Amino acid sequence: MHKINFENIPLAPEQCVTGFGTTLIVAPHADDESLGCGGVISLLRKYEQTVYILLLSDGTLSHPNSKEYPAEKLRDLRENEMLDAAEILGVTAENIIFCRYPDRNVPTIQHEGFDASVASISKLMDKIKPQSIFVPWRRDPHPDHQAAFQLISNAETSNAKIYEYPIWLKELGEQEDLPTAEEAMPFRLNIANVLDKKQRAISQHRSQITDLISDDPEGFRLSEEMLSQFNVPYETFFISK
């Protein structure tokens, strides 16, 4: 397993978020927003910046064999978990958009529905006019995360600044998955003052971190080791060049 040392990346003060303006957080799955961006969301709201969250997938493959939580019920559960997490971070339900693309099948550039999805997201961009967009790192080792970047990078974003955040890069990434100096500039954001709030937001995603859904032995659950990566007083982003 390839390990990445993020601690050598320069640390920016929390006040820098005041320059982000209206911000869109793109989450492939309910929990990515809290894991990768819980700190920056909380800081943006602390400094009275407007935040929107775009949830791409329906999340129904986290526990595909559960009888107690069939697909539609699981989708609703995960969306409600995100609403609870977002409330803790200071984002109201009116600022959360649910796309409900099939889990592990968010449209990629090879997908026949890709252009229609890009057009839909472009209309959203025109409506909310984000100045900053946070989206998973382009080679984060999950197909939906890579699809998220492809959708945003092909949408009309009106020159919004793009920040890419890693979720699985440290856990599963290989050397070729890392950003190059030509692609992006890394930076860390100091979230020490809101780390507790971020952890409380993560804790709302009970279906992903506890045995809440206990009737699917193949169900997904974030490991303690994985969760510990996000219990640190900073968040790491790559600024797209």
Side-chain angles (χ1 to χ4, degrees), residues 39-82:
V40 71
I41 294 171
S42 186
L43 288 175
L44 283 162
R45 297 302 300 129
K46 175 182 176 179
Y47 291 100
E48 300 182 341
Q49 306 297 300
T50 300
V51 178
Y52 294 90
I53 300 174
L54 178 66
L55 176 60
L56 295 177
S57 80
D58 60 14
T60 55
L61 287 184
S62 69
H63 297 78
N65 303 310
S66 174
K67 298 294 191 294
E68 184 179 358
Y69 286 89
E72 187 172 324
K73 186 178 178 181
L74 178 56
R75 180 200 68 202
D76 291 346
L77 172 64
R78 296 200 64 184
E79 289 182 357
N80 285 325
E81 289 174 341
M82 173 182 265

Side-chain angles (χ1 to χ4, degrees), residues 89-103:
L89 297 174
V91 180
T92 61
E94 299 81 56
N95 282 24
I96 300 176
I97 303 103
F98 300 104
C99 292
R100 293 183 172 176
Y101 293 120
D103 201 356

Side-chain angles (χ1 to χ4, degrees), residues 105 154 157 230 236:
N105 201 25
N154 282 275
T157 57
F230 299 96
T236 303

Side-chain angles (χ1 to χ4, degrees), residues 109-136:
I109 203 162
Q110 292 87 17
H111 194 282
E112 64 179 18
F114 183 76
D115 289 344
S117 298
V118 167
S120 177
I121 290 174
S122 294
K123 287 182 181 178
L124 173 67
M125 298 295 180
D126 186 57
K127 180 180 179 181
I128 68 177
K129 295 179 170 55
Q131 295 161 272
S132 301
I133 300 172
F134 287 75
V135 65

